[in-house]
Amino acid sequence: MIMRSPLLILLLCLWLPAQAQWHSDSWDSMGTRATLEFWHQGDHGKDITEAIRQEFNRIENQLSPWIADSELARFNRLAVDQKFSPSDEFRFLLERSSLYSTTSNGAFDITFAGAGQLYNYRTAEAPDDAALQQTVIGMQHIHWHEDGSISKDHPSVRIDLGGIAKGYAIDRAVAILRAHNIDNAYLSLGGDSYVLGQRDGRLWQVGIRHPRNSKAVAITLPLTEIAVSTSGDYERFFVRDGEHIHHILNPHTGKPAGDIMSVTVLTGQGIDADALSTTIFVMGIEEGLALANRMPEVSAIIIDLKGKVHYSDDLTGH
Ligand code: ADP
Ligand code: MG
């Protein structure tokens, strides 16, 4: 009799533990597409997704060159010798960027933006040689002071964290997932991703997209607990007189880098994978692979302009 009470049945249903299930969501963030999939038991799935979405928004508001009061935009507007006190987060990103700049003899350099700001990929505009000669590029133009402040020595010094910020955002999101005891997840922000645990009892199958066909996968890698970042000449580009003018610039020339279509880097942290994929792209096949081979825990896969694939030694069993 009692069991037939609709109220009691409803209450019993509410008491039943929520089913474990895959949560998935996708949204636009940081100028690209964010994708999230995770296995979760309980009813906080939406809250976890929301926490990650908010964290990406916070990072974008802090680091976007297009948002006038972002910390990065405020740094870019500084007058010569004007002192700027960076937040801990901004300092961390500048320091890590500086490290990769040193490691790569300036192939990775966030002050590439001095030239970068002269390109407009939507309107197919690129600077001529005269304009490029006027640009000021190089980390030596940023000065670190003992009181913790920073300054620049030329009014044209600009920075852009587009080559490292998405990987950093991925790490922040992974920390949120771990804090919620999520063991199995896939997370991506444009060409940067991270895989945690497994997908239905198997390793995650992470695809490297074909650099000339956005719908095709060039290589599939079975992976777990690793960050994967791909830098490609197809993300932002235009073609002029048969020349593929893209967004990864050689800071030494201010022009699009090299002889590569895409570089994929696998390593523990998203921030390193992101910075290194851009770095290796600029360094080129030989020097780029040599760098990956010198770094423990770093694997690299390069697809060159002819479509030939080059692997770091650890992936070929050397
Ligand atoms: P993607 O945008 O293909 O995911 P990247 O991680 O390589 O690939 O990011 C490219 C971005 O990196 C560019 O849009 C620009 O903001 C920044 N960038 C371009 N050239 C350099 C460079 N030489 N050093 C540091 N950052 C760069
Ligand atoms: Mg990068």
Side-chain angles (χ1 to χ4, degrees):
M1 274 297 278
I2 288 172
M3 285 306 286
R4 264 187 229 129
S5 152
L7 180 65
L8 196 65
I9 290 172
L10 180 70
L11 284 175
L12 277 172
C13 287
L14 290 176
W15 280 331
L16 286 173
Q19 290 272 306
Q21 57 183 306
W22 283 103
H23 290 259
S24 52
D25 212 337
S26 185
W27 67 95
D28 289 327
S29 189
M30 294 179 73
T32 185
R33 194 83 187 148
T35 309
L36 174 60
E37 270 180 77
F38 59 96
W39 178 254
H40 178 58
Q41 180 152 24
D43 41 24
H44 296 302
K46 279 212 180 74
D47 299 345
I48 296 169
T49 307
E50 191 50 35
I52 291 176
R53 192 195 298 261
Q54 281 179 17
E55 179 63 357
F56 287 173
N57 284 344
R58 188 192 66 77
I59 293 172
E60 183 169 19
N61 287 330
Q62 193 79 334
L63 304 180
S64 169
W66 314 113
I67 296 176
D69 65 346
S70 75
E71 192 167 4
L72 183 131
R74 282 187 282 120
F75 176 83
N76 280 345
R77 283 197 303 271
L78 284 185
V80 169
D81 292 338
Q82 193 184 344
K83 284 193 170 179
F84 182 88
S85 295
S87 65
D88 289 347
E89 183 171 55
F90 199 60
R91 165 182 300 280
F92 167 71
L93 288 161
L94 292 195
E95 283 174 353
R96 190 60 66 95
S97 299
S98 218
L99 175 82
Y100 281 113
S101 179
T102 310
T103 311
S104 67
N105 291 322
F108 184 89
D109 193 319
I110 55 176
T111 66
F112 84 93
Q117 64 171 349
L118 304 175
Y119 288 80
N120 187 328
Y121 300 95
R122 253 171 290 158
T123 56
E125 279 170 75
D128 57 21
D129 287 347
L132 286 177
Q133 268 151 26
Q134 308 285 314
T135 59
V136 178
I137 297 176
M139 290 303 280
Q140 73 277 13
H141 294 291
I142 299 178
H143 299 268
W144 302 73
H145 305 285
E146 276 185 6
D147 62 1
S149 66
I150 50 178
S151 64
K152 53 184 166 188
D153 62 16
H154 193 284
S156 316
V157 175
R158 294 270 173 292
I159 62 171
D160 184 316
L161 294 170
I164 192 167
K166 280 179 278 149
Y168 170 70
I170 288 278
D171 291 338
R172 299 285 302 184
V174 170
I176 292 172
L177 290 171
R178 291 199 201 279
H180 285 89
N181 298 318
I182 302 296
D183 297 324
N184 302 294
Y186 169 83
L187 173 66
S188 73
L189 194 49
D192 291 273
S193 54
Y194 194 93
V195 282
L196 255 137
Q198 301 184 322
R199 168 93 216 198
D200 300 334
R202 294 170 64 215
L203 293 177
W204 287 94
Q205 304 294 314
V206 179
I208 300 177
R209 72 155 259 195
H210 189 291
R212 291 294 176 265
N213 178 355
S214 62
K215 296 197 177 65
V217 170
I219 299 168
T220 303
L221 305 162
L223 298 170
T224 184
E225 306 297 326
I226 200 155
V228 186
S229 171
T230 300
S231 289
D233 69 356
Y234 47 78
E235 287 285 355
R236 256 176 288 149
F237 73 97
F238 59 91
V239 179
R240 192 175 61 188
D241 302 332
E243 205 186 336
H244 191 94
I245 301 181
H246 62 82
H247 68 142
I248 303 172
L249 302 183
N250 182 339
H252 301 301
T253 61
K255 294 187 178 174
D259 44 6
I260 288 176
M261 289 200 281
S262 85
V263 175
T264 299
V265 168
L266 305 132
T267 194
Q269 300 283 312
I271 188 169
D272 299 316
D274 193 4
L276 279 168
S277 65
T278 312
T279 305
I280 293 173
F281 195 112
V282 177
M283 290 178 93
I285 303 168
E286 235 168 86
E287 270 190 63
L289 282 180
L291 175 69
N293 288 333
R294 278 199 301 277
M295 301 184 83
E297 318 285 324
V298 171
S299 309
I301 301 169
I302 299 178
I303 304 182
D304 71 19
L305 280 181
K306 293 188 182 122
K308 185 169 178 230
V309 186
H310 307 256
Y311 297 92
S312 56
D313 289 350
D314 61 317
L315 296 176
T316 57
H318 288 116

